Amino acid sequence: MTEHTPVALVTGATGGMGQEIVTELSRTHHVIAVGRNEARLAALAADIAAGSAESAPARIETWQLDLSDPAAVGTRIAALDRLDVLVHAAAISRNYRVDAATPADWAEHFAVNVTAPAELTRLSLPLLRDSEGTIVFIGSGAGTKPVPGNVVYSASKYALRGLADALRIEEEPQRVRVVTLAPGQTDTEMLRGLVPAEQYESGRYIQPSSVAGVVRFLVDAPADVQITDVAVRPRQEIVRL
């Protein structure tokens, strides 16, 4: 990492969207790929290194990290001297109805999908203010309309959007850009765990690389632009969860 190389931190780096976002941003940024699975992180770094051109080598480091451990997260962030982009792609989703969800189910989803990104953002704000950086919250179509049967995840994504909207107002004087990118159903391992196999049609869902392309658009937006909310939907209507 050189003095002039912008730095991006991407959580959920071993998920379908996260991997593609890391790969995309590594073309121009030193990317810190954060995930829980050390083997997947190593494989991602090796794939990116193997696919990069010699004239423009990919720049990536991996952090095997549990984002629900604030002390560990704080130690890692404290060691950074620069951060230009923060992408919150880590999330969990399990199908629950209101009449079936337990307090533990609610606590687990909100810990991963809301509290962890809020704390990571809090710790990262001094660096992002210095760089007048960009924060991208990967929301969901489930955070803009109710999703019966997937209510816990949906509620957590509504909360994440509220976090982003308030943060944007708070950080506007510091010129930190905050955007919610809300993809519809995307062909990922997470979605495969939610949709019955006989109903799953991968060709009708958004591809993770397309989401990464939108993140690129947001990161590269002109300095005078504040993009607030971007919704990305499949071109065909798909069966609801």
Side-chain angles (χ1 to χ4, degrees), residues 10 29 38 106 115 127-128 147 157 162 168 187 201 237:
V10 181
H29 290 62
E38 189 171 9
W106 286 98
T115 305
L127 293 171
L128 291 162
V147 182
K157 287 300 185 178
R168 184 181 308 113
D187 185 22
E201 301 178 58
E237 189 67 29

Side-chain angles (χ1 to χ4, degrees), residues 1-6 59 82:
M1 178 170 51
T2 68
E3 181 181 354
H4 301 293
T5 303
R59 293 154 288 199
R82 177 170 184 170

Side-chain angles (χ1 to χ4, degrees), residues 28-44:
T28 53
H29 290 62
H30 177 90
V31 181
I32 301 167
V34 181
R36 292 187 180 187
N37 190 309
E38 189 171 9
R40 286 192 179 187
L41 287 171
L44 173 62

Side-chain angles (χ1 to χ4, degrees), residues 11 36 65-70 73 88-94 102-121 137 152-153 155-157 159-160 163:
T11 70
R36 292 187 180 187
L65 187 62
D66 182 352
L67 293 173
S68 65
D69 183 345
V73 174
H88 294 288
I92 61 169
S93 177
R94 299 186 179 91
T102 67
D105 299 327
W106 286 98
E108 180 186 29
H109 277 72
F110 272 74
V112 175
N113 296 354
V114 184
T115 305
E119 177 63 4
L120 176 55
T121 298
F137 290 92
V152 181
Y153 173 74
S156 72
K157 287 300 185 178
L160 186 70
L163 165 62

